[in-house]
Amino acid sequence: DSAGGLFHALGLSRSAFTLAEVLITLGIIGIVAAMTLPSLVNKVKYKEFETALNKNYTILQQALQRAQLDTGEVIRPANYQNTGGSARAPIKDLLLKYIIKAKDCGIGTEKGSCVENAGISGNENIQSIYKTYNNKNDINYYLMDDGQFITSDGTLFLIENSATSTSSVLPIYITVDVNGINKNPNRWGYDLFTFELTNSGKLLPMGAEGTHYTDMSKYCSKTHTGNSNGIACTYKALTDKNYWKNL
């Protein structure tokens, strides 16, 4: 044909890939995709966690600021200590007024709560839901068992609103599961993050100077086996540009 004659005249030849060559190429592409796809998926997932962490930190800060404007006082642990009974988590009741479409989930050990009986010694049907940063142990649920509420997008807030000790006012901890209890990995430092409301009224990411858990070798460690490992990762997740890359 004319095309063939042109190729012949120019000293060129036409060739096509064989079926074997096509299959080999597709196989190589598949191997490369299999090697890189999990990394890409994790990058997207971790970016979603990072965005949700920043979003919920802002939500909590705004709720406390609005509460301060309405009450005319700095929101601090000394004014919202657990007195027991039905007022087990007074800070939760305050936050529920200012966080849109938040639903009360109870205390955390009672029947019907969002994390029912989780990790509480002596109760039946103890659930193992949340893990430490390095995934070696269940977390210390006593740091978040005084109240829970959930928002319309599934974000779960867990409160530690301790009673006043004989020597000092104890801080208030607010832990956030940024993608909800029904979605993995359910690990401190991944999708679970803790903040501390300090005695001066500041809401700080746990691990920051001025909070109670700052030792990263214990509380945001790849190797430490304690059940509070991961609680201090919030500060690193918000400030360390390499944090999410190194998960």
Side-chain angles (χ1 to χ4, degrees), residues 206-222:
M206 193 66 78
E209 184 178 354
T211 61
H212 276 63
Y213 294 88
T214 58
D215 186 345
M216 296 297 171
S217 67
K218 292 182 180 179
Y219 303 121
C220 191
S221 167
K222 294 288 188 179

Side-chain angles (χ1 to χ4, degrees), residues 102-118:
K103 176 185 176 182
D104 190 348
C105 285
I107 291 175
T109 60
E110 62 188 18
K111 184 177 181 180
S113 62
C114 290
V115 190
E116 183 180 333
N117 292 340

Side-chain angles (χ1 to χ4, degrees), residues 79-91:
N79 299 328
Y80 291 90
Q81 287 300 298
N82 172 12
T83 58
S86 60
R88 182 158 179 185
I91 194 66

Side-chain angles (χ1 to χ4, degrees), residues 23-198:
L23 292 176
I24 291 172
T25 302
L26 291 175
I28 293 172
I29 293 172
I31 291 171
V32 172
M35 293 174 62
T36 59
L37 188 59
S39 177
L40 293 174
V41 170
N42 281 336
K43 285 182 179 179
V44 172
K45 178 173 64 177
Y46 294 156
K47 187 61 179 179
E48 291 175 350
F49 293 165
E50 181 183 10
T51 301
L53 169 60
N54 282 279
K55 170 188 171 183
N56 283 289
Y57 188 19
T58 299
I59 287 172
L60 285 171
Q61 288 176 313
Q62 291 177 342
L64 292 170
Q65 289 168 358
R66 290 174 59 196
Q68 180 173 329
L69 288 173
D70 287 351
T71 62
E73 64 178 15
V74 176
I75 308 302
R76 64 182 85 218
N79 299 328
Y80 291 90
Q81 287 300 298
N82 172 12
T83 58
S86 60
R88 182 158 179 185
I91 194 66
K92 179 187 73 172
D93 296 333
L94 181 76
L95 291 172
L96 282 169
K97 295 178 182 179
Y98 297 99
I99 295 181
I100 298 174
K101 295 182 180 179
K103 176 185 176 182
D104 190 348
C105 285
I107 291 175
T109 60
E110 62 188 18
K111 184 177 181 180
S113 62
C114 290
V115 190
E116 183 180 333
N117 292 340
I120 306 302
S121 177
N123 286 334
E124 296 180 358
N125 302 318
I126 292 175
Q127 299 186 42
S128 175
I129 299 171
Y130 291 116
K131 296 291 185 179
T132 54
Y133 176 61
N134 57 14
N135 206 31
K136 292 185 180 295
N137 290 306
D138 292 343
I139 65 170
N140 184 358
Y141 286 97
Y142 284 102
L143 296 175
M144 56 185 71
D145 67 344
D146 287 326
Q148 306 166 358
F149 61 89
I150 191 169
T151 58
S152 58
D153 65 356
T155 303
L156 178 63
F157 294 79
L158 305 109
I159 310 295
E160 177 58 30
N161 194 170
S162 299
T164 304
S165 71
T166 56
S167 59
S168 63
V169 175
L170 298 178
I172 289 173
Y173 302 150
I174 304 172
T175 298
V176 184
D177 182 345
V178 298
N179 66 339
I181 194 171
N182 294 319
K183 294 182 180 179
N184 289 326
N186 285 342
R187 287 166 63 181
W188 246 333
Y190 283 72
D191 57 346
L192 190 71
F193 300 94
T194 300
F195 300 90
E196 179 175 328
L197 182 61
T198 69

